[in-house]
Amino acid sequence: GSRLNLNGLLEADGTAALDAESFLTLFLDKVIEEMAVDDEEKNYDSTELARSLVDFVDADDVEPRGDREDDYYQLQDPPYRAHNRPLLSVEELRLVEGFDVALVEALRPYVTVFPYTGGGINPNTAPSHVLATLYHGTSGLHRLADEETVRRILKLREDTILCDESAQNPACTPILEAGLDGIYPRPSYTAEVFEVRAEARYGQVRRTVEAVIDRANPAE
C-alpha cells in the first residue's frame, strides 16, 4: 500500500478503462517530467503509454481503435503477445509497447503489482512522492494531489490514522479532512502485503533473499 498498485487500476467495480487511462496519463506525465535525463531523451507520449498499458493487461485482444493489440508484439524478436492478465512483476512493464528500461526504472519507486487483485495507495504508509500521485476530485475534474495536500496528509498522520470518509470509527480521521475526495483507485487504509528482504554476508560474499507476504487471509 505504500506504492501505487498497477493491478488495482482495472478493478471489477464499474470503473471504466477510460478512468485508468486518464489517471495513468497524468501519473506518467509527472514521472517523466521528474526523470533525471535530458529533456531530449524524454521522447515519450504519456497518452499512448497509458493506452498501451491498459491494453496489455485487459482481457481482450483489441485496441480501442479496433486494431489488434498483438500487432506490435508479434513484430518483436522474439515475438510475444499482450498478457491480458494482471502484471506479475514491475519488470513486465518492459514488455509493454513504449516502456523502455529508463522509464521502468523511473517508475519503480512509485509502483507495485501487489496484491494481484487490487488495492489502492495506503495514505497511512505511502511516502510523500507516492502521496503526490493520489488522483482525486469530482467527475471530469480529477487531479493529482498537490504539495499542500501532501503536507496536510503527512501532518494528519503524525497524530491519527486516516480512514475512509464512511468509516464509523472515532479513533481514525476521514481522508476528507486532508481535502481529498473521490480518490481513484480507491485507497486501502490497512497494510496487508509486505516485502521482506533478508541479506547475509560472509567476507566478500553477499546473498539476498526477497519474499512478498500477504496476510489478507491469515488462515492460508
Side-chain angles (χ1 to χ4, degrees):
S2 62
R3 297 181 186 178
L4 170 68
N5 181 4
L6 293 174
N7 288 327
L9 296 177
L10 289 173
E11 289 287 38
D13 59 357
T15 300
L18 183 59
D19 295 327
E21 289 182 17
S22 298
F23 162 69
L24 282 170
T25 299
L26 284 180
F27 169 63
L28 289 164
D29 276 341
K30 172 180 172 58
V31 174
I32 292 167
E33 181 181 353
E34 296 175 355
M35 288 177 67
V37 298
D38 295 335
D39 287 342
E40 56 266 25
E41 296 180 48
K42 299 179 181 180
N43 188 26
Y44 303 103
D45 185 326
S46 296
T47 301
E48 288 300 318
L49 288 169
R51 183 175 295 122
S52 294
L53 178 52
V54 171
D55 283 338
F56 193 79
V57 301
D58 67 13
D60 63 50
D61 59 359
V62 179
E63 294 182 344
R65 292 168 296 206
D67 300 329
R68 293 188 61 83
E69 64 190 17
D70 281 337
D71 289 349
Y72 166 83
Y73 303 114
Q74 287 293 290
L75 293 174
Q76 305 309 298
D77 185 17
Y80 57 97
R81 296 185 181 279
H83 287 174
N84 296 333
R85 57 153 172 79
L87 296 168
L88 301 183
S89 70
V90 174
E91 285 71 24
E92 283 191 338
L93 285 173
R94 293 175 60 180
L95 299 174
V96 181
E97 181 178 359
F99 285 76
D100 58 18
V101 174
L103 179 56
V104 173
E105 289 306 307
L107 288 166
R108 196 178 296 277
Y110 291 89
V111 300
T112 183
V113 297
F114 301 109
Y116 296 138
T117 55
I121 294 171
N122 184 346
N124 290 300
T125 60
S128 57
H129 65 275
V130 177
L131 291 173
T133 68
L134 285 167
Y135 186 59
H136 68 104
T138 57
S139 178
L141 296 173
H142 275 73
R143 60 196 180 279
L144 298 181
D146 57 22
E147 183 177 350
E148 182 180 349
T149 301
V150 171
R151 290 183 183 277
R152 282 200 299 268
I153 295 172
L154 295 173
K155 180 64 176 176
L156 280 170
R157 74 186 197 186
E158 288 178 2
D159 305 311
T160 186
I161 297 173
L162 294 167
C163 59
D164 187 83
E165 55 267 23
S166 63
Q168 302 296 316
N169 185 351
C172 68
T173 300
I175 193 69
L176 276 173
E177 293 204 14
L180 293 168
D181 63 342
I183 301 174
Y184 171 81
R186 193 172 183 83
S188 84
Y189 295 92
T190 58
E192 302 292 355
V193 180
F194 300 84
E195 182 182 69
V196 180
R197 177 178 299 177
E199 183 178 286
R201 297 185 182 184
Y202 184 80
Q204 300 299 312
V205 179
R206 183 173 66 180
R207 294 291 183 267
T208 302
V209 176
E210 296 182 0
V212 175
I213 299 174
D214 187 343
R215 68 171 189 182
N217 188 345
E220 295 182 354

